[in-house]
Amino acid sequence: MTKAFLGLPAPAKLNLFLHVTGRRPDGKHLLQSAFVLIDLCDTIDVTLREDDRIVRTGDVVGDVEKDLCVRAARALQDATGVRLGAEIRLGKRIPSQAGMGGGSSDAATVLLALNRLWNLGLTRTELMRVGLTLGADVPFFLFGQNAWAEGIGEELRPLSLPPSQFLVVWPGRGLSTAEIFSHPSLTRNTKSEKMEVFSDFVRHHGSPLFGRNDLQAVAERLEPRVSDALSRIRRRGFEARMTGSGSAVFAQVSDADRAARDVLSDLPDDWRGFLCRMMAEHPLAAWCTE
């Protein structure tokens, strides 16, 4: 019987805030952020191959050789010397270039699945080390829980937050993370904060929308639909913010908010909207040891 894991979740994330605090000599930006998992998920099937080929099927965006699922599998082969392969089938729900970490989450789920399918026995820390070679967001999805993030996003500490529900709107177009971070108008000197200050803010205000997203002004300049999406949510009385490098925006809402459903019902045809719940931990958090 062929060994396979079917229907594995790869959840999206939101950045409750995102401050750019500096820049390393290698050009990578130093950040502070609060990353939270939400229950909007891609789904991944991973099937064992006895040869060393990595075969990608399902929803593919762009060049398959640059696909993060494929790169994750090959990075794990390179790191361990394993001589097995896999077929990876992806079903996309998370919009691409939305600032929601879809590609990074897919890569993390592939690493978790192949660690088991290939009987590698790597620890969470070892998988996170492989994940960081693929992108700064990948370690978060392997970390397995909501996190306070620093460094380039790889320095993570567990973050406890009250349950929340979010309205998320993607305005039909994506944004290039590289273009956002290289823009001359991006500010890179926001003062560092302490995690305790953020936690106190959430406790006292009942809202996780602390600080700001330093990338948002640049994103609005590059893509007017980001401003349009923010305005649609704000007109209904919500505080709205962009996540990551965009283009998706979000607001905290309650179960009873009819206004949130009104936003979703009034979106243009090529936009997408979601009502999502924050998750306390990744659905596959138990798939690797510390």
Side-chain angles (χ1 to χ4, degrees), residues 21-215:
T21 60
R23 199 171 191 176
R24 300 194 319 193
D26 64 3
K28 292 183 178 179
H29 288 78
L30 298 171
L31 312 172
Q32 281 192 319
S33 188
F35 288 167
V36 296
L37 297 158
I38 56 174
D39 62 0
L40 174 66
C41 298
D42 292 341
T43 55
I44 299 177
D45 300 337
V46 184
T47 304
L48 179 68
R49 292 183 62 97
E50 297 296 339
D51 58 22
D52 63 356
R53 291 186 61 211
I54 305 299
V55 178
R56 176 74 161 77
T57 61
D59 297 328
V60 179
V61 178
D63 182 357
V64 72
E65 291 304 312
K66 296 180 181 178
D67 178 81
L68 270 170
C69 292
V70 173
R71 290 175 54 207
R74 290 183 175 153
L76 197 57
Q77 286 177 326
D78 291 343
T80 63
V82 67
R83 296 183 180 275
L84 296 170
E87 179 176 331
I88 303 167
R89 181 176 183 82
L90 173 62
K92 286 295 291 179
R93 287 193 69 216
I94 305 168
S96 298
Q97 292 189 314
M100 300 173 72
S104 295
S105 185
D106 297 339
T109 291
V110 167
L111 290 174
L112 290 165
L114 292 179
N115 190 40
R116 283 196 163 195
L117 200 62
W118 292 343
N119 295 313
L120 298 175
L122 298 186
T123 66
R124 189 182 314 280
T125 298
E126 290 169 327
L127 283 177
M128 288 172 68
R129 193 174 299 126
V130 175
L132 186 57
T133 68
L134 303 166
D137 282 352
V138 180
F140 163 67
F141 292 103
L142 295 165
F143 188 64
Q145 57 190 301
N146 299 328
W148 175 268
E150 296 186 278
I152 61 171
E154 88 290 10
E155 297 176 15
L156 302 166
R157 285 190 283 165
L159 188 61
S160 178
L161 291 164
S164 294
Q165 180 167 287
F166 298 99
L167 167 67
V168 181
V169 172
W170 178 68
R173 292 178 187 159
L175 279 166
S176 164
T177 299
E179 187 175 3
I180 295 282
F181 274 106
S182 63
H183 200 277
S185 69
L186 177 65
T187 58
R188 300 174 173 88
N189 59 355
T190 297
K191 178 179 174 288
S192 292
E193 294 284 2
K194 294 184 181 298
M195 187 171 78
E196 293 75 14
V197 174
F198 167 78
S199 297
D200 285 345
F201 176 90
V202 174
R203 192 160 44 247
H204 292 148
H205 293 267
S207 167
L209 297 191
F210 171 83
R212 61 184 181 274
N213 184 337
D214 284 336
L215 309 183

